[in-house]
Amino acid sequence: MKYNKKTKLFSRFVRILVKGNKYLIAILFCIMLTIAGLDLIEPQITRTIIDNAIGLKNTNLLIKSILLYTLVIIISAILNIVLTYLESIMKKRIAIKLKNRSLKHLSKLSGNYYSNIKTGNIISILNSDIFNIENFGIEILLSIVIDIITAVATLIILINLQPDLLIIVLVIQLIIIVIQTKFSKELSNKTKEIRQKDGDISNLIQEYVSNIMNIVISKSKQNFFKRYTKEQRILTNKCINLDLKIAKNTSEINVMSGLIIISIFGYGGLKIINNELSLGELISFQQYIGLLIMPCTRIVNSNTRIQQALVSAERIFELIDEPIEIQQNNVGKKIEKDDNCTIKFENVSFSYTKEYKNLDGINIVFKPYETTALVGSSGSGKSTIINLIFRMWDVDDGEIYINNVDIREYNLKNLRKNISIVTQDSLLFDDTIKNNILLNRKNIEEGKFINLCNKLRINEFVDDLEDGFDTIIGENGVKLSGGQKQRLSIARALLGNEKIIIFDEATSALDNISQKIVLKTIKEFTKEKTVIFIAHRISTIVDADKIYVLENGKVIEEGNHIELLKNNKVYRKMFVQEDTIK
Ligand code: ADP
Ligand code: MG
C-alpha cells in the first residue's frame, strides 16, 4: 500500500473511532496519564526503601515508604478497572456503529452489486473484520501517546541515574526494535492473506448450509467437501505458519530482553563492588529500564496491531464506500395517496453486461384498473422489465415514466413503497403463517384478512395444522408446499396498499383449478391498481386487458387474447402448443 493511501486510511479510521466518543476519550487519556505517573513514582520509592530505610536502618521511614507504595499500587489497580470498563463501552459502540452503517449501506446498492455479491465475504466483513476493529480499540492509539511520554520521562531520569549502563541497554533495545519492525510488516501481509482465505471458506460454507437440502438431493456433497477440504488445508497451513513465525519472534525478543537483565546485573554489579553505585540505585535503575522498555515494545507491538486493524478497516471501508449506483433522490417527487399509476416504457434498452442487449427498444404501457400481461419464453426479458420498474437497475437508453414523470425523478423509497412484487419464490420468514402474511402491518382489518385467506383457500390447509395460523413455517417456509407458499405470498401482497402490484410467475406452482380461484381473487382485490402479470402458461393470462409477447428482449406482438389469436403468429402457436400438452 502506498504511504499516502495508508495515511489517508489511517486518519479516516481514527476519525471513525473518535467521532461521538470525544469526552470518553478525554477521560480515558487522563486516567492513563495518571496511571503512567504512578508507575514512574514506584522505582523512587524502591530506592528510598533500600538505600535510606533499610540501608540506614530507619524503621519509621520504612513504614511510611511501604504505606505509600501500597497506596500507589491500590490507586493504580482501581484506575485500571475504570479504564477497562470505559474502553469496553467505547469498543462496543464503535462496533455497533460500523455494523449498522454497513448493513444499511448494503440495502442501498444496485441489482448489479447484488448479482455479483459473495455473501460469505460480506458476512466475514460484518463479523471478523468489525470484531477486529472492536478488539483493537482506540485505547491503543491513546496508550501510544502515553507510552511516548512515559518513555521520554524515564529516559531523562535514567540519563541522570546511569548514562553508561543506559547506553548498553539502549543498543540491545535498538536491535529489538529493528527485529520487531521487520516482523510487523510480514505479519500484516500474512494476516491479509488469511482474512481473504477465511472469506473464501465462509462463502463455501454459506453456499453449503443455505442449500443443504438441494445438496443432499443432488448428491453433490462430495463436490463441496473436496473444495472445502482443499481450501481449509491451505488456510490451516497459513495459520500454523503464522503462529510459528510469531513464536519465533517472541523467542528472539525474550533472548534479547534476557541480555538486558544480564548486562544490568553484570555491569551494575561491578560498579557496586567498586563503590560507584548503591544497591538502591541499581534496583531502581532496573525498574526504570522496565518502564522504558515496556512502552517501547508496546509502541512497536501496537504497530502490528494497527496494521491488522487497518487491513480490517480497509475491507469495511470498501463495503461502505461501494458506490450507490441507483440514486435515492430523497427530495424527489412522491406518488400521492390518490394517484393511480400509469407506467410507460419508451424505447427502453438495457443490458446487464455490455455484450448483449437484454431489452431492446421496448415500448409498453401498464395502466391502472387494468391487468397487463407479459408472456414469452424463459430468458426473454420479462423479469428484467420488473427490475427496471423497481429500479434495481436503471435503463441504459430510453425512459420509463410513471404518470408522465421519469421514474428517476421519484423519491426511490417512495417509489418502492408503492410497488409490490410477488415472485415465484418470495421470501418467507421462519415465523407463523399469520405473521408471514401480515408482515407487521397493524392497519389490516381482521375481517379482510379472514375473507382473503378463505378466498385463496389458505384456510383449507391451515385448518389441518395443529396450531392453525400460528404454525411456524420454518426457514424460507420449508414446511409448506410450493403452492402453499405462493398462496401466502399472494395474500401478503393483496393485503398491501401498493398502487402497482406485480406477479412474476407467482402462480406457477398452483394446479389449474387452484390457479383459477386465485386469479379470480387477485382480480377482486386489485381493482384500482396497476396490475402486471407475468406467466409462462397462457391459460393464466387469457383474461388480461392487454398482453405483450416478448422474445429476445423485444416486444413482438401485443393485444388482448382474442386479437392475438386472430393474429395467428407466435402467441397462437404458444397457446395451441400448451393446449395439446394439456
Ligand atoms: P425472464 O423472461 O425469464 O424473466 P429475465 O428477464 O430474468 O428473463 O432474463 C433475461 C436475460 O437476462 C437472460 O438471458 C438472463 O440470463 C439475463 N439476466 C437476468 N438477470 C441477470 C443478472 N442479474 N445479471 C446478468 N444477466 C442477467
Ligand atoms: Mg423471470
Side-chain angles (χ1 to χ4, degrees):
M1 208 188 302
K2 287 242 174 65
Y3 183 73
N4 197 7
K5 196 177 152 207
K6 204 155 189 173
T7 4
K8 261 197 200 140
L9 177 67
F10 182 70
S11 72
R12 179 169 177 203
F13 175 54
V14 173
R15 260 180 285 139
I16 285 202
L17 294 182
V18 171
K19 203 171 167 209
N21 288 319
K22 284 200 187 94
Y23 292 115
L24 213 52
I25 289 173
I27 297 173
L28 280 182
F29 190 76
C30 291
I31 295 178
M32 285 172 134
L33 206 59
T34 315
I35 295 176
L38 291 175
D39 282 347
L40 281 178
I41 296 175
E42 285 175 22
Q44 290 294 353
I45 308 177
T46 312
R47 184 176 163 187
T48 312
I49 291 175
I50 293 177
D51 284 350
N52 301 351
I54 301 177
L56 303 177
K57 301 199 184 335
N58 183 341
T59 322
N60 202 3
L61 183 62
L62 183 65
I63 294 174
K64 270 190 198 157
S65 307
I66 284 182
L67 284 181
L68 182 64
Y69 210 142
T70 319
L71 192 67
V72 167
I73 291 174
I74 290 177
I75 294 178
S76 214
I78 294 174
L79 286 181
N80 263 312
I81 296 175
V82 178
L83 193 66
T84 312
Y85 171 69
L86 295 179
E87 280 167 9
S88 177
I89 293 179
M90 202 160 66
K91 281 177 179 177
K92 281 279 168 256
R93 256 198 215 171
I94 289 167
I96 291 170
K97 193 168 84 182
L98 280 175
K99 220 171 244 186
N100 283 351
R101 193 158 155 199
S102 310
L103 288 173
K104 277 194 187 136
H105 189 78
L106 204 56
S107 73
K108 292 182 187 157
L109 299 174
S110 67
N112 200 17
Y113 183 83
Y114 301 145
S115 304
N116 296 311
I117 203 168
K118 292 239 190 264
T119 323
N121 271 337
I122 305 275
I123 304 250
S124 150
I125 290 176
L126 288 172
N127 286 338
S128 316
D129 288 311
I130 292 186
F131 178 75
N132 273 353
I133 301 287
E134 177 182 337
N135 218 11
F136 171 79
I138 184 97
E139 76 271 12
I140 292 180
L141 299 180
L142 290 183
S143 79
I144 290 179
V145 180
I146 303 279
D147 283 339
I148 292 173
I149 297 173
T150 318
V152 171
T154 317
L155 197 64
I156 293 170
I157 298 175
L158 281 171
I159 290 172
N160 285 322
L161 215 55
Q162 274 299 312
D164 44 352
L165 189 49
L166 178 64
I167 288 174
I168 301 177
V169 174
L170 284 188
V171 169
I172 304 176
Q173 191 56 36
L174 214 64
I175 300 175
I176 295 184
I177 289 178
V178 171
I179 296 177
Q180 280 305 76
T181 317
K182 205 174 125 228
F183 178 68
S184 71
K185 256 194 210 124
E186 205 177 332
L187 189 64
S188 156
N189 291 339
K190 291 266 179 282
T191 312
K192 198 167 183 172
E193 277 174 30
I194 287 178
R195 294 235 43 73
Q196 187 67 43
K197 206 33 66 228
D198 195 44
D200 290 347
I201 292 181
S202 291
N203 274 334
L204 270 179
I205 292 181
Q206 155 89 23
E207 202 176 70
Y208 178 71
V209 175
S210 52
N211 295 308
I212 186 73
M213 187 102 102
N214 280 333
I215 286 177
V216 172
I217 290 170
S218 67
K219 288 174 259 173
S220 50
K221 193 179 85 185
Q222 229 30 45
N223 179 37
F224 162 78
F225 273 100
K226 226 182 194 161
R227 281 163 62 204
Y228 172 72
T229 318
K230 189 173 150 223
E231 296 286 339
Q232 188 64 55
R233 195 179 304 129
I234 297 175
L235 178 67
T236 310
N237 285 340
K238 277 184 196 291
C239 288
I240 294 176
N241 209 305
L242 183 66
D243 282 345
L244 208 64
K245 283 217 161 77
I246 292 176
K248 197 171 138 244
N249 178 262
T250 312
S251 293
E252 280 168 4
I253 301 299
N254 282 344
V255 170
M256 300 304 279
S257 307
L259 278 184
I260 291 181
I261 306 280
I262 291 169
S263 54
I264 290 178
F265 283 111
Y267 187 72
L270 213 62
K271 279 187 125 182
I272 294 183
I273 293 173
N274 292 336
N275 279 330
E276 288 167 27
L277 193 72
S278 74
L279 183 61
E281 279 172 333
L282 183 70
I283 302 284
S284 69
F285 179 87
Q286 198 220 339
Q287 279 190 342
Y288 274 122
I289 284 293
L291 281 184
L292 176 67
I293 292 177
M294 220 161 35
C296 289
T297 348
R298 253 203 313 254
I299 291 171
V300 178
N301 280 347
S302 27
N303 181 34
T304 63
R305 288 186 62 188
I306 291 173
Q307 299 306 331
Q308 283 172 329
L310 281 184
V311 170
S312 288
E314 198 184 6
R315 282 162 55 90
I316 297 169
F317 291 156
E318 233 165 69
L319 174 64
I320 56 185
D321 288 346
E322 184 65 38
I324 298 176
E325 285 172 27
I326 306 293
Q327 284 312 313
Q328 306 279 310
N329 203 356
N330 289 331
V331 292
K333 192 174 157 56
K334 289 189 175 170
I335 296 173
E336 301 299 334
K337 222 170 165 204
D338 307 323
D339 286 350
N340 291 313
C341 295
T342 303
I343 310 168
K344 199 152 78 187
F345 276 56
E346 265 187 27
N347 285 321
V348 169
S349 293
F350 172 77
S351 43
Y352 289 106
T353 51
K354 293 284 159 265
E355 302 100 56
Y356 180 78
K357 267 195 178 172
N358 298 92
L359 292 181
D360 188 1
I362 296 279
N363 290 296
I364 294 184
V365 184
F366 303 99
K367 292 184 186 154
Y369 295 97
E370 283 191 4
T371 298
T372 310
L374 302 173
V375 290
S377 54
S378 119
S380 56
K382 306 179 297 289
S383 298
T384 305
I385 290 179
I386 306 312
N387 286 337
L388 294 184
I389 296 177
F390 202 68
R391 288 196 67 209
M392 288 306 272
W393 279 265
D394 275 333
V395 298
D396 295 337
D397 276 315
E399 279 86 29
I400 302 173
Y401 297 103
I402 290 182
N403 300 339
N404 294 321
V405 179
D406 192 307
I407 57 167
R408 283 168 291 198
E409 283 173 31
Y410 283 92
N411 172 314
L412 185 69
K413 213 164 160 190
N414 176 270
L415 175 78
R416 289 184 176 172
K417 211 175 111 195
N418 281 290
I419 302 173
S420 173
I421 302 179
V422 190
T423 57
Q424 201 167 4
D425 38 24
S426 281
L427 181 62
L428 292 174
F429 300 96
D430 189 9
D431 200 347
T432 62
I433 293 184
K434 187 163 185 178
N435 287 344
N436 262 292
I437 297 175
L438 290 180
L439 273 193
N440 270 325
R441 292 170 293 191
K442 302 265 184 291
N443 54 349
I444 294 169
E445 297 155 30
E446 184 78 11
K448 191 174 174 191
F449 171 78
I450 293 172
N451 177 24
L452 179 65
C453 288
N454 263 324
K455 292 214 158 127
L456 288 174
R457 304 223 170 143
I458 290 175
N459 289 40
E460 272 176 19
F461 67 87
V462 167
D463 287 346
D464 290 340
L465 300 169
E466 205 174 309
D467 294 328
F469 276 99
D470 294 324
T471 309
I472 307 244
I473 59 169
E475 201 168 325
N476 241 324
V478 281
K479 296 184 189 165
L480 300 178
S481 77
Q484 289 167 343
K485 282 194 265 189
Q486 288 194 338
R487 281 167 212 235
L488 296 195
S489 306
I490 292 169
R492 180 196 282 171
L494 291 182
L495 285 175
N497 43 19
E498 289 89 348
K499 313 270 174 177
I500 300 164
I501 185 162
I502 299 166
F503 299 93
D504 188 350
E505 317 248 2
T507 59
S508 57
L510 298 175
D511 57 83
N512 273 335
I513 298 170
S514 308
Q515 182 161 280
K516 281 213 174 83
I517 295 159
V518 168
L519 287 177
K520 210 174 123 219
T521 315
I522 289 180
K523 203 152 198 162
E524 185 187 330
F525 276 76
T526 57
K527 281 203 179 90
E528 71 276 37
K529 301 190 182 194
T530 309
V531 181
I532 304 177
F533 218 100
I534 296 178
H536 59 260
R537 270 187 289 183
I538 289 194
S539 58
T540 323
I541 49 102
V542 286
D543 290 332
D545 301 287
K546 176 96 183 203
I547 301 165
Y548 292 94
V549 184
L550 273 96
E551 201 175 271
N552 293 331
K554 289 194 176 100
V555 174
I556 49 165
E557 279 175 68
E558 57 179 273
N560 62 27
H561 180 64
I562 309 287
E563 290 162 359
L564 285 169
L565 280 188
K566 268 194 213 142
N567 229 352
N568 206 8
K569 283 194 202 148
V570 177
Y571 182 86
R572 190 194 167 88
K573 231 182 266 164
M574 284 166 75
F575 184 65
V576 172
Q577 238 168 26
E578 199 176 298
D579 235 17
T580 38
I581 292 169
K582 251 194 304 186

